[in-house]
Each structure stands twice: as C-alpha cells, then as structure tokens.
C-alpha cells in the first residue's frame, strides 16, 4: 500500500524530530538539508582536529526527548549519553565577586546567602516557588499546545484559569518583577539574563520568562560528543525507521497545486512530489520568498523592530589561565541597561558586553592546568546582519572588548589567530537568510509576543512550520517541541480531514 509522502526541509533539531516522529509512524519521509551534516544552528566548527559546538550549548528539558524516543519504542539514553551537571553555571562580576548556581536548590540558597546575605537567600526561595508555579501553569496549555492563545490559556481551566493569569506575570517586565525578590542588582542581572535565552531584553520581556530559571533548576546535562551528537542521534534514528536524509540539497521552491502543497523543487531542478511539507527554517525566510512566491502567504514576516538578538561568537582552541572555569560561565558587564540600549536602541555592538563562555572540555571535573581546551565565547549583538557590514576593524574592536572583559574578571584566553573563528550577525544572516542574524525568531518583548509566533499549521493546506522561530520558541527543547507539534498536526490532519492518502502505520493500519 502506498505511504503518505512527507518532505522535511531542513535538518535542524525541529526538522529531525518531525522526521523521526513521522517515520516511526510509517510515513514515507525525505529530509532535504543544504548543509553537509545535520543540526542547523546546532553546528560544529572544526579548528585543527578539534570540533567545537558553536550553536546551542545548554541541554535542558530532557523529558521532551525521553517522550519522543519512548513514542517510537526507543530509549533516549541508549542513543545519547548524558551527564547531569551539579553546577549549573558560574557567574562573575570582577576578579572577586563570583556566584555558582547549583542543581541542588539548597546549595544555591546557601551560596546566595554567602554572596549577598540572608534576605537575598529568602528572596531566592520565593523566586523558586513562583517560577515553578509559572511553569506548571503554562506547561500543558502553552508549551505542549500546537496553537496556543491567551483565550485558550484562560479557558483551559475556566474561571480558575482567569484567576491564575496574574500568577504567570504577563504584564510586568522581567526586570521590575525581579526587584520584588532581589535587592542586590547583581542577582537581578543574573536572573534577568534568562530573557536572553529567548533573544530578548529583561527590561522589555514579560516576567513570565522567569520560568526559564525553573527549567534549569530541573536539570542541565552535558552530552558526550557535544550537542552535535544529539543531532546525529536524531538523524540516525529517523533513518533507522526508513527516513531518507539527503545532504547538500537546497530547496528552492515549495510547490503548490490548486490550494495545497504538492512537493518541492530543488536548486538542481529536481522535483520531489509530496503530500505534505514541513519547513524547518526561520519563518522570515518563508515570508521573504526563499521557498517561492506562492509559499509566502503561509506566514508573515517578523518586523525589524521585533527581531530577537543576534550574537558575535568566537570558536576557540586555547590554554586558559587564571579564572576557575566550569562548563557554563557568565561574566557580567558593569552596566546591563547600557548594554541592551546599545544593541536595541542604537543598533550597535555593546561597548561593554556580558560574555558567556562555554568551556566544552569541562563538566563537574577539573582540567589539569595548562591543557589546551575548546571554547565558545559569545556576546549579544543586534540582528542587523542584512544591513550592516562587519568589517575587520569592528570585529577586532569587539574582540578586544570581549576578551578584555574576561581579563578584568581574571580569565586569560589568548588563542592564536589560526585557532579562532569569529561569527558575526552578517555570517548568521548568510547561514539563516532573511533573519538579519536573529537567532531566536521574534523577540519576546511585550505580553502578547509569545502568542505572535506562528504555530505548526499554515494558511496553505499540507504546509507546516517547525523551528525556533515558531511556537513555543527558541532553544533545543523548545524547537524539538515545535517539531513534535508539526508531526502531530500533520497526523491529526491525515486522520481527520481525509486530505492525504491511505497510510500503513507500524503496528497497525490507518485507512482513509
């Protein structure tokens, strides 16, 4: 019996999750990826013999992948080797002011008490309580929903849902809400940084995003082989269920016949027929016409002012000195408000950046002094890579500011030029067209922003969207949830609307 044919455009984590979920259900899945390997933004850069994760580096919400693999009769732990981190991240403001956050909440309470006093430790306990409540309220009606809305969020629990709305704090800015828990500005800065996980400013994002702190408290893991190992495992599992993954294949057009999708055309001119297409690309590329003029009506473009943050990154092999690094390290600027003002109001690189350093050879164990290590160094930047040229002088100035900031905090990383690769917002825009280098889709500024991300279904029957620029948002687990949502929406349409052909399912048969 012929199987329903699905083309997945792009092998980022969302595309791979969609392909895996659908192939495991017996559909005929073809993944088309223009790069030479899977992963999308979850990319690796080779410097000599070292492979450096140069995209997402933090793995949380393991349950998303446990559920995905279990639905296919697989055990996630059999395919990806994880190690839980006791220290979630190490933070520094200068050579002396340092604070670790721990997986064990009481250790963090004690550390905050030692760092800033007993009242701040009590504030952290209250913060933990409230961020847990925000997460619990939103998990089912928002994170797991294929098409959330404020009405749906309230209606999910009737009048009680309406009464609980203030508990998710949608109408307060993150920065102002943090002031109710912490008087110490350093702690507001530390927990405000979670807004940047969504490519947003803590001064403009809703306090709802404080739930990210709860997500990290629930567990952060390192992955043996790096984050790219997750992409490879997803690709291998999708292939084991019969999915075909073709690398080096660029899709130039999504074909539409009548009122619905009929396949894709490759840059080579080859046409591939399909009953459904899932596009794992930034929604801006679809709206910009990167997949053909007819497909533009599937979604709307993200306005320039609504773009999320971009980044300047340095993939580095070097011998560090001075600062006692852990896997995840954050070095804070002296003026956080000025940093975001530079980026968002003046459309320029921050004069004094906050710097994130992922020491990829470290977990909860120390490294022998003098060893060469792999690093990803990152600062936030404006998403202007499609309208601003980052020349060598500007890149060098930002490099000096960034590594100078690290030295002021006691960390010296001095790589040779041949052992470092810089990626600018313009580079990110070339890799992910029509984004300006925005790494997180739409920013989460304002209480309605999270509901303005498109869901999996589009205005074109048979065409679905997945990825960090769609609901529920950016980050590896969120993108994976979007991939699950696209697969679930496609399967629901298959069974309820009779829009696809008959499908042979593994373990049974669904007839149309």
């Amino acid at each position: 019996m012929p199987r329903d044919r699905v083309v997945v455009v792009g092998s980022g984590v969302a595309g791979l999750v969609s392909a895996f979920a659908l192939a495991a259900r017996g559909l005929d899945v073809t993944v088309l990826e223009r790069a030479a390997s899977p992963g999308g933004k979850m990319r690796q850069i080779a410097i000599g013999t070292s492979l450096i994760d140069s995209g997402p580096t933090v793995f949380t919400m393991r349950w998303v992948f446990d559920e995905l693999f279990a639905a296919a009769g697989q055990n996630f732990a059999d395919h990806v080797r994880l190690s839980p981190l006791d220290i979630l991240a190490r933070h520094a403001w200068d050579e002396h002011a340092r604070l670790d956050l721990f997986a064990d909440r009481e250790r963090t309470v004690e550390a905050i008490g030692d760092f800033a006093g007993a009242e701040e430790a009590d504030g952290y306990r209250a913060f933990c309580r409230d961020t847990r409540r925000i997460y619990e309220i939103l998990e089912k009606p928002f994170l797991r929903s294929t098409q959330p809305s404020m009405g749906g969020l309230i209606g999910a629990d009737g009048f009680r849902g309406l009464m609980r709305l203030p508990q998710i704090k949608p109408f307060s800015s993150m920065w102002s809400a943090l002031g109710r828990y912490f008087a110490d500005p350093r702690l507001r800065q530390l927990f405000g940084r979670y807004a940047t996980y969504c490519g947003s400013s803590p001064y403009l994002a809703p306090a709802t995003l404080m739930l990210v702190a709860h997500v990290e408290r629930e567990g952060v893991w390192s992955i043996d082989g790096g984050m790219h190992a997750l992409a490879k495992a997803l690709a291998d599992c999708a292939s084991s269920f019969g999915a075909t993954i073709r690398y080096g294949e660029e899709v130039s057009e999504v074909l539409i016949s009548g009122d619905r999708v009929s396949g894709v055309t490759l840059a080579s001119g080859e046409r591939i027929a399909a009953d459904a297409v899932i596009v794992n690309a930034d929604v801006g590329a679809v709206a910009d016409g990167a997949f053909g003029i007819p497909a533009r009506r599937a979604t709307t473009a993200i306005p320039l002012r609504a773009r999320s943050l971009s980044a300047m990154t340095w993939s580095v092999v070097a011998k560090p000195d001075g600062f006692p690094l852990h896997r995840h390290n954050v070095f804070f600027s002296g003026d956080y408000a000025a940093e975001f003002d530079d980026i968002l109001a003046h459309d320029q690189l921050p004069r004094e950046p906050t710097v994130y350093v992922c020491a990829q050879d470290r977990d909860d164990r120390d490294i022998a002094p003098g060893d060469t290590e792999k690093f990803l160094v990152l600062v936030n930047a404006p998403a202007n890579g499609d309208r601003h040229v980052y020349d060598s002088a500007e890149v060098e100035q930002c490099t000096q500011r960034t590594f100078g900031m690290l030295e002021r905090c006691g960390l010296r990383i001095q790589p040779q030029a041949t052992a470092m690769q810089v990626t600018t917002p313009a580079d990110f825009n070339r890799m992910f067209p029509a984004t300006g280098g925005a790494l997180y889709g739409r920013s989460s500024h304002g209480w309605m922003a999270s509901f303005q991300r498109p869901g999996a279904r589009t205005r074109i029957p048979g065409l679905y969207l997945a990825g960090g620029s769609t609901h529920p948002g950016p980050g590896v687990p969120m993108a994976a949830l979007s991939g699950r949502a696209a697969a679930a929406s496609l399967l629901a349409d298959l069974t309820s609307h009779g829009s696809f052909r008959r499908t042979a399912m593994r373990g049974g048969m669904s007839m149309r």
Side-chain angles (χ1 to χ4, degrees):
M1 181 178 294
R3 297 182 296 161
D4 291 285
R5 301 162 301 180
V6 179
V7 165
V8 178
V9 181
S11 68
V13 65
L16 293 171
V17 165
S18 294
F20 180 21
L22 294 172
R25 292 291 300 272
L27 277 70
D28 181 358
V29 179
T30 299
V31 180
L32 302 168
E33 169 57 56
R34 66 177 183 170
S37 60
K41 291 187 177 76
M42 202 155 56
R43 66 194 182 113
Q44 284 185 325
I45 286 178
I47 295 182
T49 59
S50 298
L51 294 174
I52 303 172
D53 278 337
S54 299
T57 55
V58 181
F59 184 80
T60 60
M61 294 172 66
R62 172 180 173 164
W63 61 265
V64 174
F65 295 92
D66 284 330
E67 289 182 1
L68 171 71
F69 278 73
Q74 302 287 305
N75 183 351
F76 180 46
D78 292 338
H79 299 274
V80 178
R81 185 175 177 181
L82 303 173
S83 300
L85 298 180
D86 289 335
I87 298 178
L88 304 180
R90 180 158 286 169
H91 307 84
W93 287 262
D94 55 42
E95 282 196 89
H96 307 291
R98 297 172 186 168
L99 176 64
D100 291 347
L101 296 186
F102 297 89
D104 182 331
R105 194 192 77 161
E106 290 308 308
R107 288 184 69 189
T108 300
V109 169
E110 182 179 352
I112 289 176
D114 292 341
F115 179 76
E119 288 188 9
E120 301 297 89
D122 289 341
Y124 178 70
R125 285 194 177 95
F127 177 74
C128 291
R129 181 192 65 236
D130 290 351
T131 53
R132 173 184 286 276
R133 183 181 298 118
I134 293 171
Y135 179 86
E136 289 173 345
I137 291 172
L138 291 177
E139 181 185 332
K140 184 176 180 181
F142 184 79
L143 295 180
R144 290 180 178 269
S145 172
T146 58
Q147 186 66 61
S149 66
M150 182 60 78
L153 179 62
I154 295 171
D157 210 5
F159 181 72
R160 185 164 172 259
L162 181 62
M163 297 301 293
R164 289 200 305 182
L165 182 60
Q167 296 181 38
I168 67 172
K169 306 181 187 300
F171 307 121
S172 300
S173 76
M174 195 173 187
W175 189 259
S176 65
L178 286 168
R180 301 187 189 111
Y181 303 99
F182 307 110
D184 191 316
R186 297 171 300 178
L187 295 178
R188 293 175 73 182
Q189 191 176 26
L190 189 161
F191 292 107
R193 182 179 172 273
Y194 285 117
T196 66
Y197 283 36
C198 301
S200 305
S201 161
Y203 301 95
L204 300 173
T208 309
L209 290 185
M210 295 190 305
L211 66 83
V212 179
H214 171 75
V215 167
E216 281 209 347
R217 283 198 310 275
E218 290 293 289
V220 177
W221 289 263
S222 64
I223 299 178
D224 190 18
M227 295 292 287
H228 194 73
L230 174 62
K232 188 175 186 305
L234 289 168
D236 289 346
C237 287
S239 298
S240 73
F241 280 99
T244 299
I245 304 180
R246 295 172 55 177
Y247 298 107
E249 299 284 13
E250 183 171 359
V251 173
S252 59
E253 184 177 6
V254 173
L255 300 172
I256 299 170
S257 299
D259 67 343
R260 65 166 300 109
V261 157
S262 61
V264 299
T265 299
L266 304 184
S268 64
E270 179 185 354
R271 290 193 172 198
I272 301 175
D275 301 296
V277 174
I278 297 175
V279 176
N280 175 205
D282 194 279
V283 298
V286 180
D288 194 54
F291 299 99
I293 300 302
R296 291 179 62 180
R297 65 184 177 90
T299 188
T300 55
I302 299 172
L304 290 181
R305 66 182 181 279
R307 283 177 175 175
S308 67
L309 299 173
S310 185
M312 285 276 284
T313 68
W314 294 260
S315 301
V316 177
V317 175
K319 295 180 180 180
D321 182 50
F323 187 90
L325 287 162
H326 214 269
R327 187 175 189 87
H328 302 294
N329 311 270
V330 184
F331 301 84
F332 284 107
S333 67
D335 190 337
Y336 216 33
E339 181 178 345
F340 286 98
D341 190 59
D342 280 344
I343 295 170
L344 298 175
H346 299 289
D347 204 36
Q348 66 184 23
L349 293 168
R351 287 163 291 180
E352 184 183 347
T354 291
V355 186
Y356 166 70
V357 176
C358 181
Q360 298 183 15
D361 294 304
R362 302 187 182 221
D363 42 31
D364 285 325
R365 295 164 297 186
D366 290 331
I367 293 245
D371 283 359
T372 298
E373 301 181 47
K374 299 178 295 186
F375 299 97
L376 176 68
V377 179
L378 178 150
V379 301
N380 293 317
N384 60 4
D386 52 352
R387 60 187 192 280
H388 178 75
V389 176
Y390 285 83
D391 60 27
S392 58
E394 186 173 13
V395 171
E396 178 60 25
Q397 182 183 56
C398 187
T399 301
Q400 293 298 325
R401 288 173 175 172
T402 298
F403 286 83
M405 175 69 184
L406 297 180
E407 289 200 18
R408 286 193 294 276
C409 291
L411 174 62
R412 290 171 292 280
I413 299 178
Q414 297 177 330
Q416 296 179 350
T418 56
M420 180 170 70
Q421 182 170 324
V422 184
T423 306
T424 71
D427 296 323
F428 283 119
N429 182 66
R430 282 191 290 272
M431 288 185 282
F432 310 108
T435 65
L439 297 176
Y440 313 88
R442 178 184 287 270
S443 69
S444 296
H445 295 159
W447 70 276
M448 280 299 294
S450 294
F451 297 101
Q452 293 173 324
R453 290 179 178 273
R457 291 185 176 90
T458 72
R459 302 182 184 105
I460 301 173
L463 179 59
Y464 303 85
L465 301 176
S469 62
T470 68
H471 171 76
V476 171
M478 297 299 193
L481 284 173
S482 80
R484 286 178 56 180
S489 298
L490 188 156
L491 289 167
D493 293 344
L494 182 153
T495 57
S496 64
H497 299 306
S499 56
F500 300 145
R501 299 176 297 163
R502 294 185 294 178
T503 300
M505 299 291 190
R506 296 198 177 189
M509 186 174 293
S510 174
M511 302 291 290
R512 294 306 320 147

